Amino acid sequence: MKSYNHRQIEGRWQKVWAQKKLNCVNDRSRKKKFYALVEFPYPSGEGVHVGHVRGYTAMDVVARKRRAEGYEVLYPMGWDAFGLPTENYALKTGLPPQLITKRNTTRYRKQLQSLGFSFDWSREINTTDPNYYRFTQWLFLQFFKRGLAYKAKVPINWCPKDKIGLANEEVIDGKCERCGTVVEMRDKEQWMLAITKYADRLDRELDLVDYPESIKTQQRNWIGRSEGVEIGFKIINPTPPPLPEGEGEFGYQTTDPKTWLVLQEKVKEMRQSPTRAEDLLWQAVRNNLSGCHFRRQHIIGKFIVDFVCLEKKLVVEVDGDIHDFQKESDQERTNFLEQKGFKVIRFKNEKVIGNGVLVVAEINEALEALSFGEGWGGVDSIKVFTTRPETIFGATFIARHGKTDRFTGEYAINPANQEKLPIWEAEYVMGDVGTGVIMGVPAHDERDLAFAKKHNLSLVDKPLVDKDEIIKLVGGKKVTTYKLRDWVFSRQRYWGEPIPLIYCQKCNEWWSVPDKDLPVELPKIKKYQPTDNGESPLASVGSWVKAKCPKCGGPARRETDTMPNWAGSSWYYIAYLMSEKIKTKNLKFSTFNLKHWLPVDWYNGGTEHTTLHLLYSRFWHKVLNDLKLVPGKEPYQKRTSHGFILAQNGEKMSKSRGNVVNPDDIVRRFGADTLRVYEMFMGPFDQAISWNEDGLIGSRRFLERVWKLVQSAKRKTCLTVGQAKNFESPLLNQTIKKVGDDIEQMKFNTAISSLMILLNSLEKESAVSIATMKVFLKLLSPFAPHLTDELWHELGEKKSIHLAPWSRELKTQNSKIKVRIVIQINGKVRDILEVENDLSEKELTGLAMNQPKVKIWINGKSIQKTIFIPNRLINFVVDNN
RNA sequence: GCCCGAGUGGCGGAAUUGGUAUACGCGCACGACUUAAAAUCGUGUCCCGUCAGGGAUGUGGGUUCGACUCCCACCUCGGGCACCA
């Protein structure tokens, strides 16, 4: 071959490597293991991004170096294929997501293979493969069985026009991405994972791993551990709050008068025809609890309660059978009443009829408990969270979370000095931080100050005191709080893992789908549109939803929510180790491989995943570790991140901007090796950088010059002479060291620049030995695997360059090396001397003093001090008069 | 507002962690080869100055024999969190 032609080289070597199974890993190898991991891509319709190439090349370089160092290296690849874009594409086109995914992964695989990455493709995984998500579901059930998965009401983004719940990323400026309608918040019952139970460990155990400080900081900020003190403040109420308008002294007005009138009609009707149980209970409370005035069928808010004692704020409800079917609305009603400060107790009809005495006793008990409260609200104290308890003497008000700023009419007593502090509701106080209540110290805290000034509250003039002392004085309790919230694990979508639970009405209970029935497979459907009450599209597949209760065998229904796409990626590093098990449908975890390969030794990925994905998968790993399913507390020993690649103009690459660089195009025109070398050379690996096609040309030229140099080395006859000469070259040794060190630190740009320096120098030699050329090729091989293997064979080698050991620094025969010594006078460079290495200060001073330039500068002045750095510098400090 | 990170030629960026600032690459200029162009190769390329020398690493101070590197204050840009008590 006359000139470097990447098209003839690259495909051919890729085939050879695949045939010889160069990258297939032996789980039972005696060699030291090395698990190299990169984030598996989401196979979108856009194809591989040059940003993927950056991260994958980097780990490929590391993996190839480790293999050459004698490690058994696992470097796997797969597809994180569940997610919204595919579902949206399915909605638009009507094509099944399964088909879209298949197309996209086929394309991605081809693209990645064309780049010559040393992935072990025999372990390829796909999160949307039912065999894969059988495990994801099974793992979820382990969480569920340990009480780490629970249902809770959570506000979701709701588009009232499209009638669907939206993911956060589908809400742009508070509006629906598709139709532009303003998004509302709606409460919806969702499955949650109790990640906050692991908050402390997720924070503390960061000490065990080798992540850059910036990533640890980001994770810690996200977890938001904060140590503070909870202090109880007694509430007093010298004057009742202003009476709400309405029915009477203790009335509570409904939201609008019309509703109230309608309710009033209903009340009359209900009073006229009470149920038997209601009637019995009414007699009982009137006769036996005469100390307390009860009312029947009373309107509070938009609800009609059965019995109420307004003075003590006690509500008694009598439930008929119908209540079994309206648990949710009953709960809503209870929540509302409790918010208003009422205590609610419920009795079943049968109980009232069967044992009225017991019911009355229970009501009495509740009343007595309430009478201890001094308050209007039935609450006698309020808990305040603070990280600065020592400022308590400065507190002038108390603020709890509210939608508008207003005085509640209540007062609290400062436990430190018994001062009376007004209780306010304030917008700036957040309901879910600490206890949702703060003490206002309008001096040290600027928001407290601003709030106090605005509402004319008094400002601080009290001294501060010692911290621990004050906690004792006021009876405070040290508590640790976290910013981290539990993980909303439900999605009302089709394209995700179905949550494998069944609800039985009769048992009134959620049950796990039995292991033998896993996976709960996604049914094939025609419409991917969510239902208009916000349920997943799965909810409309009647035959799929209908199930048998695993406990009682009665009729039951499946959960129709699916998991978020973080689920499959939370354990994929484990899945690679069990890819055989996944294929054979064996539900058991294969612990041998896990013990052998975990933890991941080096995990590289994008900076955008340093909080959520990393945190979630660390959480899963810890839970699985507690269940003895995986070894070790942490999944990833070392984490690095690569910077974004931006478009040439510095903008984000996107289809809509039309500035996407297609790797296929680069591979065709310049070759995979050029692309790889360029991406490693373009700039510091961890920083964002703009694409620049001019830079690509430099990398291509570099490879062409390597090609030419090998051709000329082959032609020259005086090989033996050249061999001796170049093997002693200090530059060659320097380069071996530099490339090796730089790869370890991911300073790929300088690794390549040092190879360029060596090449420049070799080109100037009259002859370069084959042996030197081989060292050079080996150092370059992780970056440009195709070209180097080709040239390696041209130099007479029979086996692949990728099987050859990593180059070591060579012991030089001649220890006398020339070094350049800088001569300074008062810190300024005045001359440079080229001398033998390891000269002493005395020898060097003698030499330097004889230099004409030095003589001129010293010129009779006395030397005050000499600074000597061996093999580098000598500095004379002279009097400057 | 808080927490990370970064400011060096026309451009991407080096600098052994306090010791020759501008390596390497791109671009540009000139030269060689060519009928010519491309490609390739060679030489040059921070600023002022003919030289000697002087000045430059966002700005202003400081420490040091010596500062891109350490300290203080400020400015600009990128990323993350955002009323976090």
Side-chain angles (χ1 to χ4, degrees):
Chain A
M1 213 183 294
K2 288 239 169 77
S3 63
Y4 170 39
N5 183 344
H6 62 268
R7 291 182 208 198
Q8 284 179 31
I9 293 175
E10 293 181 347
R12 200 175 73 229
W13 284 110
Q14 282 157 17
K15 257 186 225 148
V16 172
W17 299 333
Q19 270 165 17
K20 302 214 164 150
K21 302 199 167 170
L22 230 55
N23 305 312
C24 285
V25 183
N26 179 1
D27 288 319
R28 281 153 218 276
S29 168
R30 293 246 177 102
K31 293 182 190 169
K32 244 181 124 182
K33 68 98 184 178
F34 185 80
Y35 188 173
L37 185 69
V38 286
E39 285 165 359
F40 61 159
Y42 175 75
S44 72
E46 303 201 7
V48 169
H49 186 274
V50 285
H52 291 122
V53 178
R54 195 181 195 192
Y56 298 165
T57 306
M59 271 323 277
D60 196 45
V61 169
V62 172
R64 286 176 188 278
K65 176 168 183 264
R66 283 285 181 284
R67 284 193 197 99
E69 287 168 334
Y71 287 81
E72 185 74 12
V73 176
L74 172 60
Y75 188 33
M77 183 40 65
W79 318 109
D80 187 16
F82 275 129
L84 264 187
T86 301
E87 180 151 347
N88 286 339
Y89 191 73
L91 263 168
K92 221 175 12 183
T93 60
L95 294 171
Q98 286 84 349
L99 180 77
I100 301 166
T101 299
K102 183 136 200 222
R103 272 191 202 165
N104 288 346
T105 51
T106 304
R107 178 164 174 222
Y108 265 66
R109 189 183 306 105
K110 219 175 136 194
Q111 286 185 300
L112 294 183
Q113 285 175 344
S114 81
L115 285 157
F117 298 128
S118 58
F119 295 132
D120 179 353
W121 285 103
S122 71
R123 292 173 189 252
E124 179 182 340
I125 50 155
N126 185 331
T127 55
T128 66
D129 176 355
N131 288 331
Y132 183 101
Y133 67 70
R134 182 179 72 238
F135 275 99
T136 312
Q137 289 174 335
W138 185 79
L139 290 170
F140 170 83
L141 290 178
Q142 308 315 303
F143 280 71
F144 178 71
K145 286 174 184 165
R146 265 88 190 165
L148 290 167
Y150 64 96
K151 256 203 156 175
K153 263 198 182 161
V154 175
I156 58 161
N157 303 303
W158 176 260
C159 173
K161 184 158 172 257
D162 293 350
K163 294 191 174 154
I164 53 165
L166 301 173
N168 283 336
E169 56 268 28
E170 293 176 293
V171 181
I172 292 161
D173 294 332
K175 287 172 190 160
C176 173
E177 184 190 47
R178 310 148 197 245
C179 67
T181 313
V182 175
V183 168
E184 302 169 357
M185 295 310 274
R186 255 207 196 182
D187 279 349
K188 183 143 197 348
E189 288 245 313
Q190 312 250 38
W191 285 101
M192 311 284 290
L193 290 191
I195 190 172
T196 51
K197 287 201 175 150
Y198 282 73
D200 182 53
R201 283 169 61 184
L202 287 165
D203 183 314
R204 261 189 305 116
E205 289 169 5
L206 280 172
D207 290 339
L208 305 177
V209 292
D210 177 17
Y211 297 0
E213 265 325 297
S214 59
I215 293 183
K216 287 192 184 181
T217 310
Q218 243 185 78
Q219 293 235 335
R220 292 208 162 99
N221 288 348
W222 190 265
I223 297 165
R225 186 196 175 93
S226 135
E227 299 194 359
V229 178
E230 269 182 21
I231 302 172
F233 282 59
K234 272 204 172 143
I235 293 178
I236 49 159
N237 239 356
T239 49
L243 284 177
E245 294 163 40
E247 197 197 347
E249 196 191 0
F250 299 112
Y252 291 87
Q253 201 182 31
T254 47
T255 37
D256 66 292
K258 263 190 202 161
T259 315
W260 191 82
L261 284 173
V262 173
L263 287 175
Q264 195 58 28
E265 281 300 306
K266 190 128 191 245
V267 164
K268 278 185 194 154
E269 198 185 302
M270 287 166 82
R271 281 186 188 153
Q272 273 162 20
S273 54
T275 63
R276 176 141 182 269
E278 278 171 4
D279 213 28
L280 277 174
L281 194 58
W282 180 235
Q283 303 300 330
V285 294
R286 282 182 60 158
N287 295 336
N288 297 308
L289 303 166
S290 48
C292 181
H293 179 57
F294 267 91
R295 292 147 196 264
R296 64 199 293 198
Q297 268 81 35
H298 188 82
I299 301 172
I300 299 176
K302 59 172 180 172
F303 299 106
I304 302 169
V305 301
D306 289 342
F307 304 100
V308 59
C309 168
L310 289 170
E311 291 82 357
K312 303 268 173 148
K313 296 199 108 171
L314 180 72
V315 170
V316 180
E317 300 267 51
V318 188
D319 296 346
D321 287 340
I322 189 166
H323 288 269
D324 288 345
F325 302 99
Q326 54 179 49
K327 285 217 155 80
E328 265 190 35
S329 62
D330 278 352
Q331 190 56 45
E332 191 189 333
R333 173 193 185 95
T334 304
N335 287 348
F336 171 82
L337 291 169
E338 281 177 357
Q339 238 173 38
K340 289 277 170 201
F342 287 91
K343 177 158 174 64
V344 181
I345 50 179
R346 288 180 179 281
F347 298 100
K348 289 230 173 198
N349 269 352
E350 309 91 77
K351 191 168 179 183
V352 175
I353 296 164
N355 198 341
V357 181
L358 189 67
V359 169
V360 171
E362 277 181 34
I363 295 174
N364 217 352
E365 219 170 274
L367 280 172
E368 267 170 32
L370 285 173
S371 64
F372 284 106
E374 309 201 14
W376 194 257
V379 182
D380 63 339
S381 81
I382 189 163
K383 264 189 200 157
V384 162
F385 178 75
T386 178
T387 55
R388 302 281 307 273
E390 74 279 9
T391 65
I392 193 165
F393 284 105
T396 63
F397 64 96
I398 287 204
R400 66 173 184 232
H401 171 71
K403 287 210 167 126
T404 47
D405 293 355
R406 68 174 193 99
F407 177 48
T408 60
E410 297 168 332
Y411 289 87
I413 295 290
N414 185 337
N417 56 14
Q418 312 307 315
E419 265 182 34
K420 189 171 132 186
L421 307 174
I423 300 177
W424 284 65
E425 281 185 2
E427 228 185 322
Y428 80 93
V429 177
M430 308 209 307
D432 57 357
V433 175
T435 57
V437 186
I438 60 154
M439 53 186 199
V441 185
H444 312 283
D445 188 302
E446 52 184 285
R447 284 156 316 169
D448 289 353
L449 185 61
F451 187 82
K453 278 188 176 160
K454 190 173 160 194
H455 298 289
N456 279 328
L457 299 165
S458 50
L459 304 181
V460 158
D461 55 355
K462 304 283 185 347
L464 307 179
V465 287
D466 178 67
K467 227 173 178 168
D468 282 335
E469 202 179 300
I470 198 70
I471 297 172
K472 247 187 251 165
L473 178 69
V474 301
K477 192 176 111 201
K478 283 191 182 176
V479 290
T480 307
T481 64
Y482 299 90
K483 252 198 303 198
L484 187 71
R485 303 287 104 184
D486 273 345
W487 175 6
V488 182
F489 203 68
S490 285
R491 298 290 184 274
Q492 288 73 47
R493 299 286 172 175
Y494 173 79
W495 197 226
E497 302 88 345
I499 291 178
L501 293 174
I502 290 174
Y503 181 72
C504 172
Q505 249 174 30
K506 201 168 145 208
C507 312
N508 186 16
E509 202 66 73
W510 286 97
W511 299 113
S512 301
V513 170
D515 286 1
K516 68 175 172 50
D517 294 338
L518 295 179
V520 177
E521 226 173 303
L522 280 168
K524 299 240 156 68
I525 63 174
K526 292 221 171 79
K527 268 187 65 196
Y528 299 98
Q529 189 72 33
T531 62
D532 44 359
N533 56 7
E535 298 294 332
S536 142
L538 292 174
S540 49
V541 190
S543 57
W544 185 84
V545 172
K546 218 169 119 187
K548 227 191 206 175
C549 172
K551 209 71 184 176
C552 71
R557 59 188 310 260
R558 286 187 193 284
E559 174 57 76
T560 59
D561 284 355
T562 52
M563 301 187 200
N565 70 332
W566 305 106
S569 62
S570 287
W571 71 281
Y572 77 112
Y573 60 95
I574 298 169
Y576 287 130
L577 310 177
M578 325 194 311
S579 55
E580 284 309 311
K581 292 277 173 186
I582 290 173
K583 283 173 206 155
T584 56
K585 305 200 175 188
N586 182 340
L587 199 55
K588 286 269 161 60
F589 259 61
S590 146
T591 48
F592 169 79
N593 268 351
L594 304 197
K595 274 185 192 141
H596 178 68
W597 286 106
L598 291 178
V600 170
D601 292 279
W602 193 335
Y603 185 22
N604 183 73
T607 45
E608 70 274 26
H609 292 129
T610 49
T611 43
L612 293 183
H613 161 63
L614 217 52
L615 204 64
Y616 289 156
S617 56
R618 290 181 59 226
F619 165 51
W620 274 49
H621 189 93
K622 286 177 194 303
V623 174
L624 300 187
N625 177 241
D626 287 351
L627 299 175
K628 307 230 167 8
L629 291 170
V630 297
K633 289 181 174 171
E634 288 283 340
Y636 319 117
Q637 187 50 43
K638 173 176 179 156
R639 164 80 187 195
T640 51
S641 329
H642 58 263
F644 277 116
I645 296 185
L646 303 164
Q648 192 133 2
N649 57 6
E651 287 178 342
K652 228 181 134 180
M653 279 188 197
S654 71
K655 229 180 192 173
S656 56
R657 289 195 180 93
N659 56 9
V660 176
V661 177
N662 181 352
D664 294 348
D665 181 44
I666 308 291
V667 169
R668 204 175 332 104
R669 285 160 57 213
F670 297 90
D673 284 336
T674 299
L675 178 59
R676 294 169 59 116
V677 168
Y678 168 62
E679 291 215 18
M680 293 297 95
F681 182 63
M682 66 195 304
F685 181 66
D686 55 355
Q687 277 171 38
I689 197 158
S690 299
W691 185 261
N692 180 5
E693 197 160 306
D694 292 340
L696 208 57
I697 292 166
S699 301
R700 170 71 192 198
R701 278 188 200 150
F702 168 60
L703 296 183
E704 281 174 4
R705 282 163 54 203
V706 173
W707 175 272
K708 277 188 204 158
L709 189 67
V710 171
Q711 306 308 322
S712 91
K714 267 169 64 189
R715 270 200 308 275
K716 295 267 165 75
T717 44
C718 47
L719 295 179
T720 43
V721 180
Q723 186 162 21
K725 194 174 174 213
N726 283 301
F727 258 104
E728 284 192 11
S729 154
L731 183 63
L732 185 65
N733 262 347
Q734 236 168 280
T735 310
I736 292 169
K737 180 165 174 17
K738 176 89 176 139
V739 171
D741 291 352
D742 280 355
I743 289 174
E744 294 306 317
Q745 297 172 60
M746 300 205 126
K747 289 159 78 172
F748 304 109
N749 52 338
T750 49
I752 289 176
S753 102
S754 70
L755 284 168
M756 288 172 169
I757 292 169
L758 179 60
L759 178 69
N760 287 346
S761 152
L762 294 178
E763 279 177 337
K764 285 184 183 123
E765 301 286 341
S766 53
V768 177
S769 73
I770 300 281
T772 300
M773 245 3 269
K774 282 182 184 166
V775 173
F776 182 91
L777 289 176
K778 184 65 205 180
L779 294 178
L780 179 62
S781 65
F783 300 92
H786 312 87
L787 170 75
T788 49
D789 215 2
E790 173 77 16
L791 294 176
W792 187 253
H793 284 77
E794 282 197 28
L795 291 177
E797 291 285 344
K798 293 281 175 276
K799 281 189 178 167
S800 169
I801 189 170
H802 304 296
L803 296 172
W806 190 245
S807 307
R808 292 198 177 182
E809 282 176 75
L810 301 147
K811 287 255 159 65
T812 39
Q813 310 287 316
N814 188 350
S815 59
K816 280 176 194 164
I817 296 170
K818 294 267 179 184
V819 289
R820 287 156 73 86
I821 304 286
V822 173
I823 303 172
Q824 294 184 338
I825 286 139
N826 286 350
K828 297 230 174 208
V829 180
R830 295 305 178 190
D831 207 352
I832 290 165
L833 269 181
E834 193 157 308
V835 295
E836 280 175 11
N837 66 342
D838 294 334
L839 288 189
S840 70
E841 177 174 348
K842 211 172 159 190
E843 286 170 305
L844 210 64
T845 307
L847 277 172
M849 285 305 181
N850 275 327
Q851 297 301 307
K853 282 188 189 170
V854 176
K855 278 182 182 164
I856 292 167
W857 280 101
I858 292 186
N859 191 23
K861 290 170 187 166
S862 63
I863 292 171
Q864 311 277 310
K865 199 169 157 189
T866 306
I867 288 116
F868 173 68
I869 314 278
N871 290 328
R872 198 170 295 281
L873 162 141
I874 189 156
N875 183 12
F876 301 110
V877 184
V878 299
D879 235 334
N880 232 354
N881 300 324

